[in-house]
Amino acid sequence: QVQLVESGGGSVQTGGSLKLSCTASGFPFSRYALGWARLAPGIGKLREGVSCISNSGEATDYHDSVKGRFTVSRDDAKNTVYLQMDNLQPEDTAVYYCTTAFRPSCGSDWFDSVQLQVTRDQGTQVTVSA
């Protein structure tokens, strides 16, 4: 059974930092690209892709809104993917989820296909106050 358990969220002020973790089980973690997505508060909002890291860890990709501020990494020995978030802004407020598409690379369609990606658990809440 696939499990993806996020942790590390919290409340910070603008400009603060948080590091999210996602520990996975139930599938061969090292074979697949992993991503982070977020769901901002509000009716009608859709999940938005934030970052992706390939199975080797050599390739990463980020949504334009977080480039230069967020860093994704992975530790295959721990079956864990991380998201270091620096210089947080109020618009980063959301529930953050880790995702997988069960493929090795991110690819040019990663962020467009985020609604189809697998996610589990309740995510972890990040709140950034002005």
Side-chain angles (χ1 to χ4, degrees):
Q1 183 178 0
V2 173
Q3 292 193 9
L4 299 164
V5 180
E6 303 91 348
S7 62
S11 297
V12 297
Q13 293 185 329
T14 297
S17 297
L18 287 171
K19 186 173 184 177
L20 308 182
S21 300
C22 171
T23 300
S25 61
F27 64 98
F29 182 85
S30 63
R31 291 187 186 178
Y32 300 117
L34 275 295
W36 286 93
R38 63 188 179 187
L39 182 61
I43 297 173
K45 293 281 188 177
L46 295 177
R47 204 163 60 196
E48 173 186 69
V50 173
S51 67
C52 177
I53 184 167
S54 66
N55 63 336
S56 67
E58 293 179 353
T60 58
D61 200 3
Y62 299 91
H63 190 275
D64 285 346
S65 64
V66 306
K67 283 181 180 177
R69 300 188 297 120
F70 289 12
T71 304
V72 62
S73 61
R74 62 190 295 160
D75 184 341
D76 289 352
K78 296 181 179 180
N79 276 17
T80 300
V81 60
Y82 304 97
L83 186 66
Q84 176 67 45
M85 305 186 296
D86 298 317
N87 191 20
L88 282 161
Q89 303 296 312
E91 53 266 34
D92 296 318
T93 294
V95 178
Y96 283 73
Y97 304 86
C98 61
T99 72
T100 182
F102 294 117
R103 68 190 200 197
S105 62
C106 298
S108 60
D109 66 334
W110 183 270
F111 295 124
D112 291 333
S113 62
V114 69
Q115 307 305 328
L116 303 177
Q117 294 167 10
V118 175
T119 185
R120 293 287 188 268
D121 200 53
Q122 303 298 313
T124 187
Q125 175 71 47
V126 172
T127 302
V128 185
S129 57

